[in-house]
Amino acid sequence: MSLPSKPQRYRLMLSGVVQGVGLRPFIYNQAKALALCGFVANDGSGVLIEVEGDLIGMQTFVALLKNAAPPLAIIEHLEVTAITPLGCDDFIIKKSHQNTIQTLISPDIAVCEKCLKEFNDPQNRRYHYPFINCTDCGPRFSTLHSLPFDRHHTAMHAFKPCKKCLYEYEDPDDRRFHAQTISCPDCGPKITLRDHQGRHLADENEAIDMVCRMIEDGAIVAVKGWGGFHILCDANNDDAVSKLRRKKRRPSKPLAVMFPDMRSVKKHTLLTPKEEQLLTSKEHPILLVKAKSTMPISKKVTCGITKVGLFLPYTPLHHRILKKLQRPVVATSANISEEPILTKEQEVLQRLSHLVSAVLSHDLPIINACDDSVMMIAHDHPMTLRAARGIAPYSFTLPHTNTKNILAVGGHHKSSIAFSLGSHLIVSPHIGDLDSLETFAYWKRTLKRLSQLYNFKLDLIVHDQHPAYETTKWALDQKSGTLSVQHHYAHALSCMAEYQLQTKVLAFCFDGTGYGNIQNSNISGADTIAPLKILGSEIMIADTHNYERLMNLKPFRLLGGETAIKEPRRSALALLFETFTFDEILEMDLPTLKNFTDDEIKTLHHMWKQGINAPKASSMGRLFDAVASLSDLCHISEYEGQSGLLIESAIKELDSRFDYNMHLTKGEIDICSFIHELFRHEPQERPKVFMQMLIYLITSVARQYAHLPVVLSGGVFQNQLLVTRLIQEFKRLGIKYYISSKVPVNDGGIALGQLYHALCRPTHD
């Protein structure tokens, strides 16, 4: 940005993630070093600066803002205006003032290396202090009551800084200059350990030492993090892991594991450089990586999956525990299965006393719950599977300012909320599946908290077309105007929003289940009176205004409706009915058939033939289920996505080249061709053949529309092997492609896609 020709005093407005990230101390020190005068202050719009001095100093100051800001700061917009000089002689940090809220909130950030060095230094006054942080790290979103980000607006307001902390806070040469969450052992929060009945056991260092001994002895404990409680146990203790699974009602879904340090991670995983970079980033997400056979964790942690979700300690308290234990621990969210993470000690004691032996807590309140983020790397491309701690809330900037307040309520699974605020699109942290009253109440609390933080008032609500979604029903009950967006179109739009795509794309939207319009058209609005059906795989040409469906998987029946989602054997049986005669099926020697009695097969065939409780669906997720059953990998599913993980784990290596006959008629992908091809191979080979057929299908269609960039979106593309090979093929074929990185590729991105359409549609003003 060019500066006014004869500057003497400038007013600078900075917007983006500019509060709680050490920007004011940075600005103060740079201005003082350049002998400039004026002030800096937080306000609702971001950071306001007035600076006065000579031209060279001013130019240097603005250049430093653009190129050398603190690592957590994201300056999305910098506005410079020449104003009348005042003849000041000092530069100060002014008290914050609040106006219309436009600034963005920083997510919680893992403890930084400088703080860790102090944390491990016996001579430092914050040695082993569980709440050590500075302007470059620590809790942000989870501790925030309101904006601007000042101490009295955070949970730290209850803790008055001691003289030493106050001196550091006011010292421009100190790393904690204006660190809003500054504290130390003398003035900060305190640690307490209680047993499962709430009886006091120990405090501070003694409490931490005691909980470590309990874990070593095979106990399960709850530990308070920044955004909620974790449940911890020894990851190599079969009995402890089995007990955790049984009492948490999580029979086989893989559990996350926290490792003490990067050295132990490298020793026991096939870690790539990109994965190492992501694991040690300021976000510190849970990362899906390939495990070595030497990994010191119980087989009950992964339950047959060759990958493990692991992460490193990100709070000082986690570092303290893992350093003392020097072993991996299971670190899963403290909740009842599929419900929100618990944030209060009393909640843990009331709801999880049957599971944990003790609760290690502290008296710093968690204002905003936030679970752990989950990511993976596919051919060096980082992908977010759950956007939460360290990542969310996150935002994107529009090239123009929006005048309406639009809320997008997302879908039903992996729910999130998105809303527009001026030129920003803001997305909430992961909320979860809205299958329980508790989770939907959490959804409403999240909406309320974000609305309060941003003083957000509704003009329009955007929702999914599925009439049974709680978010759809909520939207239609409000007094604001509404707009519906087709589920898979929203998937495509979520990726387009991340990359600010406006032109047409070829979108592959593959997932489990989503309602949508049945005709091949360009509709998306709430005024559409079009019949809906269950979809799960659509290939479409889309832009921000509308879409045109090219093809989808040929629909097949879900035997028993919702029951088929939990029983892959039913999807497999339905596809056998679609492909072969009943007599041919009875002659087959298949593991799938052995999971039914003869009478059950006859009854289900009658249901299939008559369409009794057997709705049709073009679901790619159910096709994965069918293949898993036909490969004898999974007949009864115990968690979402289990079939895909087992199929991926069963594949040692894909062929370098492959070719299949694909029957595409009347916009449909003939599913029977998949089944016939699978039956040419033994069950153990079927996962590989199926994956190769799917890759061949996608690349074949992409070649037909080579003039359009490809977008991949939907839960199916959480499959690391599938995405890795597709990226390789797209590069080999010279096909431009887009895959979400920051935005979850699953339904966690639906809200952003809905919002992007509402903001870009021609009728929006």
Side-chain angles (χ1 to χ4, degrees):
M1 176 179 294
S2 60
L3 299 173
S5 57
K6 295 182 178 180
Q8 294 186 54
R9 187 178 180 94
Y10 297 148
R11 176 179 291 123
L12 296 88
M13 276 303 310
L14 281 62
S15 62
V17 182
V18 293
Q19 293 187 14
V21 291
L23 195 55
R24 284 181 298 171
F26 169 81
I27 289 167
Y28 175 91
N29 282 312
Q30 298 308 319
K32 296 287 273 188
L34 294 167
L36 304 176
C37 65
F39 70 86
V40 59
N42 280 345
D43 70 3
S45 299
V47 171
L48 169 66
I49 309 168
E50 287 193 13
V51 62
E52 188 170 327
D54 65 82
L55 176 60
I56 294 176
M58 298 285 219
Q59 290 175 328
T60 303
F61 179 77
V62 174
L64 287 168
L65 280 177
K66 291 180 179 180
N67 304 314
L72 302 187
I74 303 174
I75 301 174
E76 295 185 343
H77 185 65
L78 171 60
E79 180 182 332
V80 183
T81 307
I83 59 176
T84 303
L86 300 178
C88 57
D89 57 7
D90 197 8
F91 194 92
I92 62 172
I93 297 178
K94 274 191 174 183
K95 184 178 180 180
S96 302
H97 60 278
Q98 188 167 346
N99 50 20
T100 302
I101 301 297
Q102 292 286 328
T103 194
L104 303 177
I105 303 168
S106 170
D108 293 356
I109 298 300
V111 60
C112 68
E113 289 300 320
K114 290 180 180 178
C115 282
L116 275 180
K117 185 177 180 180
E118 294 175 345
F119 180 78
N120 291 315
D121 180 4
Q123 305 305 314
N124 192 280
R125 73 187 191 93
R126 291 188 176 89
Y127 175 62
H128 280 178
Y129 176 52
F131 304 95
I132 189 171
N133 68 83
C134 68
T135 54
D136 290 340
C137 67
R140 296 293 190 271
F141 173 68
S142 66
T143 192
L144 187 63
H145 280 290
S146 60
L147 291 167
F149 190 89
D150 289 318
R151 192 181 184 90
H152 64 279
H153 288 154
T154 73
M156 287 299 297
H157 178 57
F159 302 91
K160 185 179 179 180
C162 64
K163 289 184 179 179
K164 290 181 180 179
C165 285
L166 196 58
Y167 180 83
E168 292 171 332
Y169 180 86
E170 294 175 345
D171 181 6
D173 295 325
D174 195 282
R175 197 173 87 255
R176 293 184 175 87
F177 179 46
H178 271 255
Q180 300 304 320
T181 53
I182 190 172
S183 67
C184 73
D186 294 332
C187 62
K190 305 300 180 185
I191 297 286
T192 303
L193 180 66
R194 301 184 189 278
D195 69 12
H196 69 287
Q197 294 181 330
R199 293 174 298 202
H200 179 268
L201 295 177
D203 295 314
E204 304 299 349
N205 291 331
E206 183 185 355
I208 297 171
D209 291 342
M210 186 178 291
V211 86
C212 289
R213 290 195 298 270
M214 295 174 76
I215 293 172
E216 288 172 336
D217 292 339
I220 301 170
V221 300
V223 175
K224 191 175 184 179
W226 283 338
F229 279 84
H230 279 126
I231 297 173
L232 268 57
C233 73
D234 184 348
N236 201 29
N237 187 316
D238 285 347
D239 291 339
V241 176
S242 295
K243 180 182 176 182
L244 188 155
R245 286 196 174 282
R246 184 175 67 254
K247 294 198 172 186
K248 199 172 186 281
R249 298 197 302 238
R250 189 169 173 171
S252 60
K253 186 176 182 179
L255 296 162
V257 179
M258 185 177 284
F259 273 69
D261 48 41
M262 183 53 70
R263 181 187 60 80
S264 59
V265 171
K266 287 183 174 180
K267 183 178 179 181
H268 299 293
T269 65
L270 300 171
L271 203 67
T272 68
K274 282 282 187 180
E275 288 172 337
E276 179 179 353
Q277 182 181 350
L278 194 52
L279 267 179
T280 56
S281 68
K282 66 182 187 298
E283 291 82 7
H284 269 47
I286 296 173
L287 188 65
L288 303 184
V289 302
K290 291 182 179 179
K292 292 180 181 177
S293 58
T294 58
M295 180 174 283
I297 62 173
S298 166
K299 292 182 180 179
K300 297 179 184 294
V301 171
T302 54
C303 291
I305 306 302
T306 55
K307 294 184 296 184
V308 62
L310 62 83
F311 59 142
L312 295 171
Y314 61 88
T315 76
L317 182 56
H318 287 118
H319 275 280
R320 176 77 184 280
I321 293 171
L322 271 293
K323 185 177 181 180
K324 187 170 184 64
L325 289 173
Q326 283 300 304
R327 70 183 72 186
V329 297
V330 168
T332 186
S333 301
N335 61 352
I336 301 297
S337 186
E338 307 306 328
E339 290 187 5
I341 189 170
L342 299 177
T343 60
K344 297 177 181 178
E345 179 183 359
Q346 198 58 37
E347 291 176 336
V348 177
L349 290 170
Q350 288 174 353
R351 307 200 66 196
L352 299 179
S353 60
H354 67 290
L355 171 58
V356 300
S357 299
V359 179
L360 187 68
S361 188
H362 53 75
D363 54 353
L364 177 64
I366 296 173
I367 309 303
N368 302 300
C370 201
D371 218 323
D372 295 311
S373 293
V374 182
M375 298 186 71
M376 72 177 189
I377 299 284
H379 199 65
D380 286 347
H381 179 76
M383 294 179 63
T384 302
L385 308 183
R386 184 167 73 195
R389 174 192 51 77
I391 297 174
Y394 60 95
S395 66
F396 298 99
T397 305
L398 292 170
H400 60 275
T401 298
N402 170 56
T403 58
K404 282 192 174 182
N405 295 324
I406 303 176
L407 168 69
V409 296
H412 185 80
H413 299 288
K414 298 176 176 60
S415 177
S416 65
I417 296 166
F419 57 94
S420 61
L421 191 73
S423 60
H424 293 109
L425 312 183
I426 299 172
V427 188
S428 76
H430 165 84
I431 296 171
D433 295 352
L434 306 181
D435 292 323
S436 67
L437 292 174
E438 290 81 3
T439 310
F440 190 56
Y442 176 43
W443 182 92
K444 289 188 283 189
R445 288 198 303 273
T446 302
L447 174 59
K448 183 178 180 180
R449 287 289 301 127
L450 289 172
S451 298
Q452 290 172 341
L453 279 171
Y454 285 103
N455 194 24
F456 182 78
K457 306 295 182 185
L458 276 175
D459 293 319
L460 177 69
I461 304 174
V462 198
H463 61 87
D464 196 273
Q465 290 182 338
H466 200 307
Y469 280 4
E470 292 299 326
T471 49
T472 300
K473 291 187 284 186
W474 181 90
L476 296 176
D477 282 344
Q478 307 307 304
K479 295 180 181 179
S480 304
T482 60
L483 171 72
S484 72
V485 179
Q486 199 259 19
H487 187 83
H488 296 110
Y489 180 38
H491 264 307
L493 287 160
S494 69
C495 182
M496 295 170 69
E498 177 167 350
Y499 297 102
Q500 299 285 289
L501 302 178
Q502 298 277 343
T503 56
K504 291 186 182 297
V505 301
L506 176 66
F508 295 84
C509 304
F510 294 169
D511 62 6
T513 303
Y515 263 39
N517 310 104
I518 65 171
Q519 67 260 51
N520 192 7
S521 64
N522 60 1
I523 53 181
S524 64
D527 56 342
T528 301
I529 312 176
L532 301 173
K533 72 174 182 179
I534 304 172
L535 300 167
S537 59
E538 293 188 80
I539 304 173
M540 59 178 67
I541 294 176
D543 58 24
T544 55
H545 300 159
N546 51 48
Y547 71 94
E548 176 190 357
R549 181 181 300 110
L550 295 178
M551 61 189 71
N552 54 261
L553 205 63
K554 182 180 178 181
F556 60 97
R557 295 199 178 277
L558 301 181
L559 298 173
E562 291 287 324
T563 305
I565 297 174
K566 297 180 179 180
E567 298 186 16
R569 61 180 185 164
R570 289 180 178 245
S571 292
L573 191 60
L575 289 179
L576 291 176
F577 292 156
E578 291 278 349
T579 310
F580 305 101
T581 68
F582 188 65
D583 288 338
E584 287 174 331
I585 292 170
L586 293 179
E587 294 296 319
M588 293 178 176
D589 181 22
L590 288 175
T592 298
L593 300 177
K594 293 176 183 178
N595 273 268
F596 296 102
T597 66
D598 290 345
D599 287 342
E600 285 175 329
I601 293 174
K602 290 176 183 177
T603 300
L604 290 168
H605 185 260
H606 178 71
M607 289 169 57
W608 173 81
K609 195 172 183 179
Q610 300 299 321
I612 302 170
N613 191 22
K616 285 191 172 184
S618 63
S619 173
M620 187 62 73
R622 302 292 76 76
L623 180 56
F624 267 81
D625 285 348
V627 173
S629 179
L630 293 172
S631 304
D632 200 20
L633 296 175
C634 179
H635 303 288
I636 305 294
S637 181
E638 295 179 345
Y639 59 89
E640 183 190 9
Q642 183 176 12
S643 294
L645 283 172
L646 291 171
I647 286 173
E648 184 177 0
S649 295
I651 301 172
K652 294 181 179 179
E653 188 178 13
L654 295 175
D655 295 340
S656 57
R657 292 287 179 269
F658 37 79
D659 191 354
Y660 298 99
N661 291 320
M662 293 289 175
H663 303 296
L664 309 177
T665 59
K666 296 182 180 179
E668 289 185 341
I669 303 162
D670 181 12
I671 204 166
C672 295
S673 62
F674 277 77
I675 304 304
H676 280 300
E677 185 64 40
L678 290 179
F679 272 65
R680 295 190 181 99
H681 302 268
E682 294 299 315
Q684 63 270 22
E685 289 294 312
R686 289 170 187 168
K688 182 178 87 167
V689 173
F690 169 68
M691 189 68 70
Q692 292 179 168
M693 292 181 73
L694 189 55
I695 293 165
Y696 186 78
L697 166 68
I698 293 170
T699 53
S700 295
V701 176
R703 285 199 302 269
Q704 293 177 34
Y705 295 87
H707 62 289
L708 295 175
V710 166
V711 160
L712 303 180
S713 191
V716 165
F717 295 109
Q718 294 176 122
N719 190 297
Q720 191 177 35
L721 178 63
L722 173 62
V723 176
T724 295
R725 187 56 180 268
L726 283 172
I727 290 175
Q728 292 171 339
E729 290 298 299
F730 290 152
K731 288 183 174 180
R732 182 179 67 85
L733 296 168
I735 295 172
K736 193 170 185 178
Y737 65 91
Y738 294 94
I739 308 168
S740 293
S741 179
K742 190 174 183 179
V743 180
V745 72
N746 52 46
D747 280 12
I750 289 292
L752 179 63
Q754 294 169 343
L755 181 62
Y756 195 53
H757 172 67
L759 289 166
C760 296
R761 65 193 177 111
T763 55
H764 174 67
D765 53 36

